[in-house]
Amino acid sequence: MKERSAGIVITKRIVSSFIVLFLLVSFIFILLRVSPGDPSQKFISPELSPELIKKISRSFNLDRPIIEQYISFIGNIFTGDFGISYNHRLPVLEVIIQYLPFTLLLAFLSFSLQLIFAITLNAAIYKRMNSYYDKLLSKLSITFFAVPTFVLGVLLIFLFSVQIDIFPSNGTRSIDFDSMNFVEKLWDYFIHLLLPLFTLSVGGASVFYKYLRDNIDEVYQKLFVVKLRSDGFTEKQIFWKHILPNSIMPLISVAGIELGFLLSGTLITEVIFGLPGMGRLTINSIFTRDYPLVVGCTFISGMLMIFSTLIADLIKIKIDKRLIKDLMN
Amino acid sequence: MKQKIKILHIAFFLFGLILFIRFDKFIDFLELLFQYFLFFVYDFSGALSFLNFPLIDAIISIKLFVIIPICLYVFRRSSLLNKPVSFSIFVTIVLIFVFIFAPLLAEWHPDFQKDVTVTKFLPPLSKVNIIYLSSGESKPLSREEKFLLARDKAITKSFDDNLLFADSLSYNSKVVKYFQDGFSKEISTEKVVIFDGIPKIEQTIFWLGTDEFGRDVLARIIYGTRISLLVGIGSVIISLILGLGLGFLSGYSGGFTDTVLSRLTEMFLSFPIIFLVVMIIALFGNSLLAVIIVLGFSGWMSLFKIVKSEVASVKKKDFFLSARLIGLSGLRLLLRELLPVMTAPVLVNLVFQFGYVILAESTLSFLGLGTGTEYPSWGAMIQAGQQHITKAWWMIIFPGSVLIAALISANNIGRSLIKQINSR
């Protein structure tokens, strides 16, 4: 009985994710049709002859009723056919696949960095709850959370690339990259990614830190901690084995939301540091009026975000079965 | 008892400060107001034809500059004005002052450019010589000319032919010799305004430096504050109307409407908002109005949830039932019965939303998708600063710190509001 209800909840959650995805596509379609100008104008040069425009318009099925256009649009998108990017002269999906891994790598590294940072800081601070350092760190975390990604990035470039000149400000590799050996190449990547990663991670890390700190504080008040202490467990054992697992639970739902922020963060970070990722691709495609690529990027990013929240929810259900009841209602 | 600095004190201090620093300007503005009033009485339709945004703006700001201190004095006992001041509240008050009194505060028009070779990339606190050229006109006679003279004196323009910026200069009775970017130039004294027998030459200070086009960074920050707050207020109002209306509809009627609206909200919450915002602005073109509307429409979901749950809890209470049985209409129920109950949570949400909108606007401007090039914006200034990062640090540091201060204060005020509500 219990297992079956869990199954139903999970399928419901997955189905609702797909519905959101479907709505996203519909929304993009509506936007494309409502925005000023015919879609054919966006997809071809205005200097072409009227006959040719008519021909292309027919080849895009623009003379058909709008419902039919909608169905073919959805069909095309779900089969991965976004059209051909004019700047890259390649199918949109191929272009995106070139740029996507970098963004995913950056997001993944930053996400792990945020978690590691938050947990280590908390491990260092848990013995000194409500001390001077604790209060200072809490204030700092709130402050850093309010600092916008792009201001932080530009300030870091100014400090470390212009004033002190120890980190490169742009790109992922140096000019003499090809002549390096493997270790030097790795080091080169590392030194190029350090500033972007830091820029991307500070906001999220401060959220995680504050959240985790408050949770740990709450868990410490519980009676089982007193019981464990009286049983003779050391503080270290109590923290790592009992307090941390108990307080990390609510963090997961925050992490799901945080992943969404992370995607928009990578967009800005990539633009600032000139990194070859999805975000910069999106912005460049907007400025060059490359509409197929804009639609493709929006869809792929939306899909990533929707699925990351889905996975966060599934992990939550996996860890704590009680949540199924909440999700049922 | 320890005396604390209150909001009232800060407000009066700022008024005094503005009066002290910009006394000349204050007098110019008063004269403008007076001349315009005379002109208005004398020639009604002629006065109306000169009415444009900078003039209205100037008149409103000078009137408020006189009215607000009086209001503050009258309401000096109110509890809001007697709150102790923290850093965030101080920043907020300063921003509000800058928002209202921008024409009084800014020495230059935000787009003022002249003699770019001299004025570009000036570091903060640098001094530049200004030579005033005479426009060759005799004394004004008619009311219209008097008004125009007062207007040109008070309201800053984006271009002024009668000013010359120079690095260094020397003059004798015949010519004024000046240097611009290493080139020596001459101008005869007949063309220069003569004051007490010597050419009228002043030194002006660019407090926060100038940007790549020789525009004053301070003036741009001041007008950028206006844009940021304007976008914030506009979007928050749109979010408020949407969130209140839909939330009330959903909580009050329940049933099918509720289900549909709740599902819709969940969909919107799981959308990647930033990508949609970027895409919408890319498709529809970027303008001030587009940014306000898009950001307003992207922020109503959290408010919807709050309003819905509050309405659902109030719906069964006695006072609400009796108000409903008396026969109040839906809108009246919302405004008279519900709004007072849920002021606190809605207010907190609006404060956070305000901070979010300011952040979003500056981020969009940074990416080049914001309010466009016709208005100065903090984000766009930082973006311009990044291109000249090696030679002009002031183009990043100042707008950046103003933005950070504004965001931190919005955040802190929201959090302290939550604390107050919870402690009740």
Side-chain angles (χ1 to χ4, degrees):
Chain A
M1 175 66 195
K2 217 175 182 185
E3 281 305 304
R4 225 186 79 211
S5 70
I8 288 170
V9 167
I10 289 168
T11 15
K12 246 180 149 178
R13 183 70 190 76
I14 292 170
V15 167
S16 90
S17 278
F18 273 99
I19 292 174
V20 172
L21 201 61
F22 183 73
L23 275 178
L24 178 71
V25 177
S26 319
F27 201 60
I28 292 174
F29 178 76
I30 293 169
L31 279 179
L32 276 176
R33 289 319 309 264
V34 169
S35 65
D38 196 57
S40 65
Q41 286 165 6
K42 288 181 189 122
F43 288 78
I44 48 178
S45 162
E47 286 141 26
L48 294 176
S49 69
E51 293 92 48
L52 200 59
I53 287 177
K54 218 171 241 172
K55 208 170 149 192
I56 287 168
S57 182
R58 197 172 306 133
S59 77
F60 279 176
N61 283 340
L62 286 175
D63 49 349
R64 301 283 185 78
I66 199 132
I67 299 291
E68 230 169 281
Q69 288 178 32
Y70 176 61
I71 290 167
S72 71
F73 181 80
I74 285 179
N76 281 341
I77 279 200
F78 280 104
T79 50
D81 179 11
F82 296 100
I84 290 172
S85 153
Y86 341 123
N87 295 331
H88 298 265
R89 310 252 165 219
L90 280 172
V92 166
L93 208 59
E94 275 180 38
V95 178
I96 290 177
I97 283 171
Q98 283 173 20
Y99 285 83
L100 189 60
F102 184 81
T103 300
L104 290 182
L105 178 76
L106 198 65
F108 175 73
L109 281 178
S110 168
F111 193 68
S112 355
L113 209 67
Q114 287 171 15
L115 276 179
I116 292 167
F117 203 64
I119 291 173
T120 24
L121 264 184
N122 267 299
I125 213 80
Y126 79 98
K127 283 181 209 154
R128 305 182 192 85
M129 279 286 176
N130 294 323
S131 70
Y132 174 74
Y133 293 108
D134 178 34
K135 277 172 188 157
L136 185 76
L137 266 178
S138 287
K139 274 258 183 300
L140 271 183
S141 73
I142 291 163
T143 312
F144 271 118
F145 172 65
V147 174
T149 319
F150 71 96
V151 176
L152 186 72
V154 173
L155 286 181
L156 283 178
I157 289 181
F158 175 70
L159 262 181
F160 291 106
S161 304
V162 179
Q163 291 296 315
I164 314 179
D165 197 13
I166 44 174
F167 295 120
S169 67
N170 201 300
T172 53
R173 44 177 82 169
S174 306
I175 304 167
D176 53 349
F177 184 79
D178 291 332
S179 61
M180 290 175 179
N181 62 31
F182 183 70
V183 180
E184 279 175 340
K185 276 183 181 174
L186 266 186
W187 175 248
D188 197 46
Y189 269 127
F190 172 73
I191 213 169
H192 273 89
L193 283 182
L194 205 63
L195 281 188
L197 270 179
F198 189 71
T199 310
L200 198 54
S201 308
V202 163
S206 53
V207 175
F208 282 156
Y209 167 75
K210 188 84 180 73
Y211 213 79
L212 200 58
R213 197 214 86 96
D214 292 348
N215 283 333
I216 287 174
D217 203 19
E218 203 177 296
V219 175
Y220 251 110
Q221 316 290 333
K222 297 217 166 130
L223 279 176
F224 78 88
V225 181
V226 181
K227 163 82 166 80
L228 284 172
R229 273 203 196 115
S230 68
D231 282 355
F233 284 96
T234 59
E235 282 293 315
K236 220 173 190 169
Q237 278 173 325
I238 296 176
F239 180 78
W240 288 105
K241 282 204 170 154
H242 299 276
I243 302 228
L244 200 61
N246 269 312
S247 40
I248 223 162
M249 231 315 281
L251 204 67
I252 294 167
S253 56
V254 182
I257 302 165
E258 182 55 33
L259 269 175
F261 280 114
L262 207 57
L263 272 178
S264 59
T266 50
L267 190 144
I268 294 152
T269 316
E270 282 163 14
V271 172
I272 297 173
F273 290 96
L275 304 173
M278 273 276 286
R280 196 152 147 255
L281 185 70
T282 313
I283 296 295
N284 280 343
S285 62
I286 283 171
F287 283 125
T288 48
R289 304 276 170 233
D290 191 346
Y291 287 100
L293 200 52
V294 175
V295 172
C297 287
T298 313
F299 176 73
I300 298 284
S301 327
M303 200 173 79
L304 281 177
M305 216 172 123
I306 289 164
F307 280 114
S308 65
T309 40
L310 174 70
I311 288 166
D313 273 4
L314 290 184
I315 291 173
K316 239 167 43 179
I317 292 173
K318 178 86 184 139
I319 291 176
D320 192 346
K321 290 277 190 327
R322 283 170 298 179
L323 284 173
I324 290 173
K325 256 186 199 164
D326 293 348
L327 283 175
M328 283 278 265
N329 303 326
Chain B
M1 215 176 93
K2 209 176 130 192
Q3 277 281 321
K4 276 192 173 171
I5 302 173
K6 294 167 182 168
I7 290 180
L8 195 67
H9 302 157
I10 292 290
F12 277 121
F13 170 73
L14 285 176
F15 271 111
L17 197 70
I18 293 173
L19 213 55
F20 179 69
I21 297 173
R22 291 269 177 264
F23 189 70
D24 299 347
K25 206 130 198 192
F26 177 65
I27 297 297
D28 287 346
F29 269 75
L30 278 184
E31 195 190 336
L32 170 69
L33 191 64
F34 179 66
Q35 291 292 350
Y36 191 66
F37 178 72
L38 284 184
F39 187 36
F40 208 80
V41 174
Y42 174 74
D43 180 5
F44 182 72
S45 59
L48 276 186
S49 69
F50 280 105
L51 218 54
N52 54 7
F53 180 71
L55 185 62
I56 298 172
D57 189 20
I59 290 173
I60 290 177
S61 77
I62 187 67
K63 278 183 180 165
L64 284 178
F65 194 79
V66 179
I67 293 169
I68 288 182
I70 300 171
C71 288
L72 284 179
Y73 185 74
V74 172
F75 294 109
R76 67 189 179 281
R77 299 251 177 270
S78 79
S79 62
L80 180 70
L81 290 178
N82 282 307
K83 283 221 162 69
V85 168
S86 63
F87 170 74
S88 337
I89 293 179
F90 176 72
V91 171
T92 315
I93 297 173
V94 171
L95 288 182
I96 292 171
F97 263 71
V98 170
F99 179 73
I100 300 173
F101 303 125
L104 254 175
L105 285 170
E107 194 171 357
W108 302 100
H109 190 279
D111 292 327
F112 182 82
Q113 285 170 281
K114 189 79 206 292
D115 299 317
V116 178
T117 48
V118 178
T119 51
K120 70 176 175 188
F121 296 129
L122 288 176
L125 297 178
S126 48
K127 291 177 182 173
V128 177
N129 296 303
I130 300 181
I131 307 170
Y132 289 88
L133 305 182
S134 64
S135 46
E137 279 169 25
S138 56
K139 281 194 174 176
L141 298 166
S142 71
R143 286 229 189 286
E144 189 181 320
E145 277 169 357
K146 268 186 188 169
F147 156 69
L148 286 179
L149 197 74
R151 188 188 73 173
D152 292 348
K153 220 171 149 192
I155 296 173
T156 53
K157 287 179 293 184
S158 62
F159 187 77
D160 194 346
D161 257 335
N162 297 328
L163 293 182
L164 258 182
F165 288 96
D167 291 324
S168 61
L169 46 81
S170 59
Y171 55 86
N172 53 34
S173 57
K174 289 243 175 83
V175 287
V176 178
K177 212 170 161 190
Y178 61 94
F179 288 91
Q180 281 185 340
D181 195 30
F183 290 99
S184 160
K185 290 174 185 173
E186 281 182 357
I187 189 164
S188 87
T189 41
E190 288 165 15
K191 289 183 185 166
V192 179
V193 175
I194 304 290
F195 194 73
D196 279 351
I198 51 167
K200 189 183 174 192
I201 290 159
E202 278 178 4
Q203 277 200 326
T204 185
I205 300 179
F206 289 106
W207 293 100
L208 299 186
T210 56
D211 68 359
E212 77 269 35
F213 298 116
R215 300 176 294 196
D216 187 13
V217 170
L218 180 62
R220 288 181 74 72
I221 288 180
I222 288 172
Y223 280 90
T225 309
R226 279 199 142 178
I227 293 300
S228 283
L229 294 196
L230 194 70
V231 171
I233 294 167
S235 317
V236 162
I237 288 175
I238 292 178
S239 304
L240 177 68
I241 293 171
L242 275 176
L244 265 187
L246 292 179
F248 177 65
L249 200 68
S250 165
Y252 184 57
S253 54
F256 182 67
T257 330
D258 181 27
T259 322
V260 170
L261 281 176
S262 301
R263 288 282 158 272
L264 202 74
T265 315
E266 265 168 42
M267 304 294 168
F268 267 104
L269 270 178
S270 47
F271 268 169
I273 289 296
I274 180 93
F275 285 94
L276 278 184
V277 167
V278 165
M279 191 180 147
I280 290 171
I281 288 182
L283 283 177
F284 287 85
N286 49 338
S287 67
L288 187 60
L289 203 65
V291 170
I292 291 177
I293 291 174
V294 166
L295 291 181
F297 270 82
S298 67
W300 55 273
M301 286 82 77
S302 53
L303 200 65
F304 170 84
K305 279 190 165 178
I306 292 169
V307 173
K308 199 189 98 176
S309 65
E310 287 284 330
V311 171
S313 74
V314 166
K315 215 162 81 172
K316 287 168 194 131
K317 294 222 169 115
D318 285 342
F319 76 93
F320 187 77
L321 282 175
S322 56
R324 212 170 128 189
L325 287 174
I326 291 170
L328 288 184
S329 67
L331 189 65
R332 276 197 143 186
L333 277 178
L334 174 63
L335 293 179
R336 290 270 174 83
E337 306 295 328
L338 284 170
L339 214 51
V341 180
M342 55 193 185
T343 315
V346 168
L347 199 67
V348 169
N349 184 276
L350 288 187
V351 170
F352 280 120
Q353 181 66 20
F354 192 76
Y356 159 76
V357 168
I358 289 180
L359 171 63
E361 187 271 329
S362 56
T363 306
L364 283 177
S365 297
F366 180 80
L367 294 174
L369 294 165
T371 49
T373 46
E374 48 186 322
Y375 306 106
S377 156
W378 294 339
M381 287 173 78
I382 295 168
Q383 198 253 341
Q386 199 201 349
Q387 290 167 7
H388 305 284
I389 196 165
T390 47
K391 43 189 167 181
W393 54 267
W394 53 90
M395 284 169 66
I396 301 163
I397 301 286
F398 295 124
S401 33
V402 174
L403 177 60
I404 291 174
L407 290 175
I408 288 177
S409 2
N411 213 331
N412 277 350
I413 289 177
R415 278 161 24 86
S416 64
L417 275 176
I418 288 180
K419 244 185 210 166
Q420 270 185 21
I421 292 163
N422 285 346
S423 69
R424 244 180 235 165

PDB file of all heavy atoms in Angstrom, chain B residues 128-140:
ATOM      1  N   VAL B 128      39.151  70.698 -13.627  1.00  0.00           N
ATOM      2  CA  VAL B 128      39.262  71.105 -15.028  1.00  0.00           C
ATOM      3  C   VAL B 128      38.865  72.562 -15.120  1.00  0.00           C
ATOM      4  O   VAL B 128      37.956  73.020 -14.425  1.00  0.00           O
ATOM      5  CB  VAL B 128      38.333  70.248 -15.917  1.00  0.00           C
ATOM      6  CG1 VAL B 128      38.384  70.722 -17.346  1.00  0.00           C
ATOM      7  CG2 VAL B 128      38.708  68.796 -15.850  1.00  0.00           C
ATOM      8  N   ASN B 129      39.575  73.311 -15.981  1.00  0.00           N
ATOM      9  CA  ASN B 129      39.225  74.711 -16.182  1.00  0.00           C
ATOM     10  C   ASN B 129      38.066  74.828 -17.151  1.00  0.00           C
ATOM     11  O   ASN B 129      38.026  74.142 -18.172  1.00  0.00           O
ATOM     12  CB  ASN B 129      40.417  75.471 -16.757  1.00  0.00           C
ATOM     13  CG  ASN B 129      41.558  75.476 -15.788  1.00  0.00           C
ATOM     14  OD1 ASN B 129      41.420  75.924 -14.662  1.00  0.00           O
ATOM     15  ND2 ASN B 129      42.689  74.931 -16.203  1.00  0.00           N
ATOM     16  N   ILE B 130      37.142  75.700 -16.836  1.00  0.00           N
ATOM     17  CA  ILE B 130      36.044  75.989 -17.761  1.00  0.00           C
ATOM     18  C   ILE B 130      36.154  77.440 -18.203  1.00  0.00           C
ATOM     19  O   ILE B 130      36.294  78.335 -17.372  1.00  0.00           O
ATOM     20  CB  ILE B 130      34.675  75.794 -17.094  1.00  0.00           C
ATOM     21  CG1 ILE B 130      34.514  74.361 -16.625  1.00  0.00           C
ATOM     22  CG2 ILE B 130      33.565  76.125 -18.063  1.00  0.00           C
ATOM     23  CD1 ILE B 130      33.169  74.129 -15.997  1.00  0.00           C
ATOM     24  N   ILE B 131      36.122  77.641 -19.518  1.00  0.00           N
ATOM     25  CA  ILE B 131      36.066  79.007 -20.050  1.00  0.00           C
ATOM     26  C   ILE B 131      34.628  79.236 -20.486  1.00  0.00           C
ATOM     27  O   ILE B 131      34.056  78.444 -21.238  1.00  0.00           O
ATOM     28  CB  ILE B 131      37.002  79.161 -21.252  1.00  0.00           C
ATOM     29  CG1 ILE B 131      38.412  78.706 -20.880  1.00  0.00           C
ATOM     30  CG2 ILE B 131      37.006  80.600 -21.731  1.00  0.00           C
ATOM     31  CD1 ILE B 131      39.331  78.607 -22.062  1.00  0.00           C
ATOM     32  N   TYR B 132      34.043  80.319 -20.005  1.00  0.00           N
ATOM     33  CA  TYR B 132      32.672  80.639 -20.404  1.00  0.00           C
ATOM     34  C   TYR B 132      32.700  81.530 -21.626  1.00  0.00           C
ATOM     35  O   TYR B 132      33.322  82.594 -21.611  1.00  0.00           O
ATOM     36  CB  TYR B 132      31.940  81.350 -19.259  1.00  0.00           C
ATOM     37  CG  TYR B 132      31.624  80.441 -18.103  1.00  0.00           C
ATOM     38  CD1 TYR B 132      32.522  80.247 -17.067  1.00  0.00           C
ATOM     39  CD2 TYR B 132      30.408  79.768 -18.068  1.00  0.00           C
ATOM     40  CE1 TYR B 132      32.241  79.410 -16.027  1.00  0.00           C
ATOM     41  CE2 TYR B 132      30.109  78.921 -17.017  1.00  0.00           C
ATOM     42  CZ  TYR B 132      31.036  78.750 -15.992  1.00  0.00           C
ATOM     43  OH  TYR B 132      30.741  77.920 -14.975  1.00  0.00           O
ATOM     44  N   LEU B 133      32.074  81.087 -22.694  1.00  0.00           N
ATOM     45  CA  LEU B 133      32.008  81.902 -23.901  1.00  0.00           C
ATOM     46  C   LEU B 133      30.723  82.717 -23.861  1.00  0.00           C
ATOM     47  O   LEU B 133      29.678  82.225 -23.441  1.00  0.00           O
ATOM     48  CB  LEU B 133      32.000  81.016 -25.142  1.00  0.00           C
ATOM     49  CG  LEU B 133      33.147  80.026 -25.260  1.00  0.00           C
ATOM     50  CD1 LEU B 133      33.042  79.254 -26.552  1.00  0.00           C
ATOM     51  CD2 LEU B 133      34.484  80.745 -25.201  1.00  0.00           C
ATOM     52  N   SER B 134      30.835  83.963 -24.336  1.00  0.00           N
ATOM     53  CA  SER B 134      29.620  84.786 -24.299  1.00  0.00           C
ATOM     54  C   SER B 134      28.748  84.413 -25.493  1.00  0.00           C
ATOM     55  O   SER B 134      29.230  84.173 -26.595  1.00  0.00           O
ATOM     56  CB  SER B 134      29.987  86.261 -24.344  1.00  0.00           C
ATOM     57  OG  SER B 134      30.615  86.526 -25.565  1.00  0.00           O
ATOM     58  N   SER B 135      27.462  84.346 -25.264  1.00  0.00           N
ATOM     59  CA  SER B 135      26.559  83.966 -26.343  1.00  0.00           C
ATOM     60  C   SER B 135      26.213  85.159 -27.221  1.00  0.00           C
ATOM     61  O   SER B 135      25.526  85.008 -28.224  1.00  0.00           O
ATOM     62  CB  SER B 135      25.287  83.345 -25.754  1.00  0.00           C
ATOM     63  OG  SER B 135      24.838  84.141 -24.688  1.00  0.00           O
ATOM     64  N   GLY B 136      26.701  86.347 -26.849  1.00  0.00           N
ATOM     65  CA  GLY B 136      26.511  87.506 -27.694  1.00  0.00           C
ATOM     66  C   GLY B 136      25.128  88.094 -27.647  1.00  0.00           C
ATOM     67  O   GLY B 136      24.729  88.830 -28.540  1.00  0.00           O
ATOM     68  N   GLU B 137      24.359  87.760 -26.631  1.00  0.00           N
ATOM     69  CA  GLU B 137      23.008  88.301 -26.555  1.00  0.00           C
ATOM     70  C   GLU B 137      22.959  89.433 -25.538  1.00  0.00           C
ATOM     71  O   GLU B 137      23.690  89.445 -24.554  1.00  0.00           O
ATOM     72  CB  GLU B 137      22.021  87.211 -26.130  1.00  0.00           C
ATOM     73  CG  GLU B 137      21.602  86.331 -27.300  1.00  0.00           C
ATOM     74  CD  GLU B 137      20.860  85.106 -26.841  1.00  0.00           C
ATOM     75  OE1 GLU B 137      20.268  85.139 -25.739  1.00  0.00           O
ATOM     76  OE2 GLU B 137      20.896  84.102 -27.562  1.00  0.00           O
ATOM     77  N   SER B 138      22.068  90.371 -25.809  1.00  0.00           N
ATOM     78  CA  SER B 138      21.938  91.480 -24.877  1.00  0.00           C
ATOM     79  C   SER B 138      21.050  91.069 -23.714  1.00  0.00           C
ATOM     80  O   SER B 138      20.604  89.932 -23.622  1.00  0.00           O
ATOM     81  CB  SER B 138      21.343  92.688 -25.585  1.00  0.00           C
ATOM     82  OG  SER B 138      20.109  92.305 -26.163  1.00  0.00           O
ATOM     83  N   LYS B 139      20.755  91.995 -22.837  1.00  0.00           N
ATOM     84  CA  LYS B 139      19.974  91.662 -21.645  1.00  0.00           C
ATOM     85  C   LYS B 139      18.549  91.261 -22.017  1.00  0.00           C
ATOM     86  O   LYS B 139      17.963  91.839 -22.927  1.00  0.00           O
ATOM     87  CB  LYS B 139      19.938  92.878 -20.718  1.00  0.00           C
ATOM     88  CG  LYS B 139      21.218  93.015 -19.933  1.00  0.00           C
ATOM     89  CD  LYS B 139      21.047  93.997 -18.806  1.00  0.00           C
ATOM     90  CE  LYS B 139      22.296  93.991 -17.946  1.00  0.00           C
ATOM     91  NZ  LYS B 139      22.218  94.983 -16.898  1.00  0.00           N
ATOM     92  N   PRO B 140      17.998  90.306 -21.335  1.00  0.00           N
ATOM     93  CA  PRO B 140      16.659  89.852 -21.672  1.00  0.00           C
ATOM     94  C   PRO B 140      15.619  90.915 -21.329  1.00  0.00           C
ATOM     95  O   PRO B 140      15.731  91.630 -20.351  1.00  0.00           O
ATOM     96  CB  PRO B 140      16.471  88.615 -20.796  1.00  0.00           C
ATOM     97  CG  PRO B 140      17.421  88.806 -19.677  1.00  0.00           C
ATOM     98  CD  PRO B 140      18.570  89.558 -20.228  1.00  0.00           C
TER      99      PRO B 140
END
